[in-house]
Structure formats: C-alpha cells, structure tokens
Amino acid sequence: MDLFSRSLRRVFPETQARGLKSPPRHLSRVNGWSLPLHPFQAVAWATYLALSIVTFGIVIPLLPGSWKYIAYSVTAVVFLFHLVVHLSAVTIDPAEANVRLRNYSKPVPTFDRSQHAHVIQNLYCHLCEVTVNEKAKHCSSCNKCVAGFDHHCKWLNNCVGSRNYWFFFCSVASAMIGLLCVKVILLYVCIQHFINPNKLRTDPSYKDISAVTIWLLFLPKWHVAVKTPVALCMMGGVLLVGIVSFLLLGHLFIFHIYLMVKNKSTFDYVKHTHFQQRPEPPGRTQPVLQVEEAAPQVCACPSTSHPRRKVASLVHLHRKKTASQLGLHLPQGKCVSFWELVGLSVQQPQPLLHRKGSAS
C-alpha cells in the first residue's frame, strides 16, 4: 500500500519564478494495464504461471486413483476463478464517474500549493477539475480521483476503490485457497514418498520403469524422467514459496476482514495510524513556567522574529526556562502552561530571546 511514501512538503516550483521552466504535466492512468507497468505485476503473473505448471503438470498426476480427478476439479475451479477476478480488478477503471467522462489524453495540471491548501476542497478536485464524492481521493500514482479510495495496489498496478474492491478481495481470498490446495497436495506427495512410494506410481507409464528413484513428470502425455533428489528439490521449493505466499496473503486477508468489521478503508486506517497525536505518557504533566523578576544575560536574535520560527525555537529550548528568559511580558507571579506560552510567543511581536553565546 503506497499512500504516504511521498513527502507532504514537496511541491513543484512556481511557474512564475524567474529562470524556472513549467513542470511537466502527467497523464492519468486508466487501469492496471496503462504504462508504466510495475515489476510486481510480472512477479505475480510469473508466480501464478509457475504454480499452475507444477500443480497440474507434476504434482496432481502423481496422486492415486480417484483423488487425482478430485484434485484436478477443485484446483482448476479455484485457479480459474482467481484468474477471472484478478483480471477484473486490474482492468476496471476505479475512477470517479465525472473523471471517467473526461478525456484521459488531456494532461492533468500540476498542483500549486500557493493557490490551494488541498487537492480536493469542498468536494471539488483542483487537478481533475471535476466534482467528486465525499469518499473520493486523488491518487498520486494514477493521477486521478478514485471513487471510494481504499489504496493503490502495486501487484495490480491499479487503485482499489469502490468499483473494484470486491474483485480485489475475491482475488486475495481465491489466491489463499489455491495456495492452500497446492500445499496440501505437495505435503501429501512428499510424505507419501517416504512412507509408501508405490502409491505415487499408479500411472500406466510407470510399468516400464523398475527403478524407484525415477520420477516421471508432466504425465500422462510427456514423460520427463528425473531422479528423486531433483524432484524433491523442485517440490520443496514450490512448497516453500507456497507457504510464504500463503502467510502473506493470510495476513492481508485477515487485515481486510478487520477493516470490514470496523467499517474502515485502508486509507483511513493508515491515516489514523500515522497521523494521530500520540498521548502523553502516564504520570507526565505539562511543564509550568514561573515568571521571574530577574533575567540572566541574554541577547536578541532577529532571525527568529517569524512566528513559525519562534515556535520552533521555543520548543527546542529547555522546558524549565522561565518566561523572562524567553522574552515574554507577563505579570509577575503568574504561571502558564507550556503550550499557552507557545501561543503567547506567537502573538507578541518582539523577537525571541536566546541565551548568550547561541548562534544568532
């Protein structure tokens, strides 16, 4: 999920600045097939293809009797269902209805923070230049407003919103079920090899092979003979990949079940987790500053006259400094909290005073 990877303070230079060229305008992406493609897409499709070849070409043909046809039927249905929902999640355009009506070949303007504080204000997107719904968000990767924005999925190379969320969820669930089927079959074959390997050699092609250490792959049409260590290494590697993928998908599946119960989106969860204010530790109170009549040797610092700089400088000072050391004019004997002192330092026009010897 790539929601907050970019710095919130990064903005393009203003076009009116002398000697600076206008920043390039970027096009909006339609769906997961729009360029540029993401490397995670290639990893996902390569994994799906490799598991399909190993499962249907090597492992299931080794099963005995009727179990072979049951495994073929169940696994084929799960793999085919995953293929359909995965393609749907990638192909569907999750953008807002008003965004889908406009021309995608038109470049989207660059956001200028000097004119607007946020991309979407009062349900109007200043980049897409259309009205949007309340739950819509502007995705920086797809460069468009997504209806019911949940997150941007790199494995799909597409945003997940209200229009394709259930396809995404079914893709995760079917992938987890498919990996579970592959793991069960692989574990059965590996265990049965050490208990009774003859149960794995029920195919008619094994009649001409007397050596127990020879395995036939891609039955029944092709007969690729390999030795037992090679076959076990192949199956062990596929089993390891299946276990790791199953754990990752299981974590993702449980996470989205949790979001459904809480009626939240991934965006809301990440925003709440990363941007909520951390509570004060128990037993810790705000420091109180006492105004003193006498002040030590201080020197003025004109460079910190800006209100924002004054607050930053004030926070970095030791919390037990007195108000007179900070240059604030308060009645003698009055106590104020730390944050009240910060507010007073912004309101009063005089520059902040530093200790003598500090950098001016």
Side-chain angles (χ1 to χ4, degrees), residues 3-16 23 109-121 126-127 138 140 275 308:
L3 299 177
F4 301 100
S5 59
R6 298 187 178 184
S7 174
L8 298 178
R9 297 185 178 181
R10 289 185 59 188
V11 294
F12 286 103
E14 297 184 9
T15 56
Q16 293 82 3
T110 303
F111 181 63
D112 188 0
R113 292 188 182 273
S114 63
Q115 298 181 2
H116 309 286
H118 303 283
V119 177
I120 299 178
Q121 287 181 320
H126 297 289
L127 295 183
H138 190 92
S140 59
F275 291 96
R308 184 175 298 177

Side-chain angles (χ1 to χ4, degrees), residues 324-352:
S324 59
Q325 288 178 286
L326 299 176
L328 301 179
H329 301 285
L330 297 176
Q332 184 176 358
K334 181 179 179 181
C335 296
V336 294
S337 65
F338 177 74
W339 293 111
E340 291 176 346
L341 189 60
V342 172
L344 291 172
S345 66
V346 175
Q347 296 175 5
Q348 296 188 10
Q350 73 278 2
L352 183 66

Side-chain angles (χ1 to χ4, degrees), residues 287-290 292 317-323 325-326 338:
V288 177
L289 305 182
Q290 177 71 31
E292 294 182 356
L317 288 177
H318 199 278
R319 290 195 171 193
K320 292 186 178 180
K321 292 297 180 183
T322 61
Q325 288 178 286
L326 299 176
F338 177 74

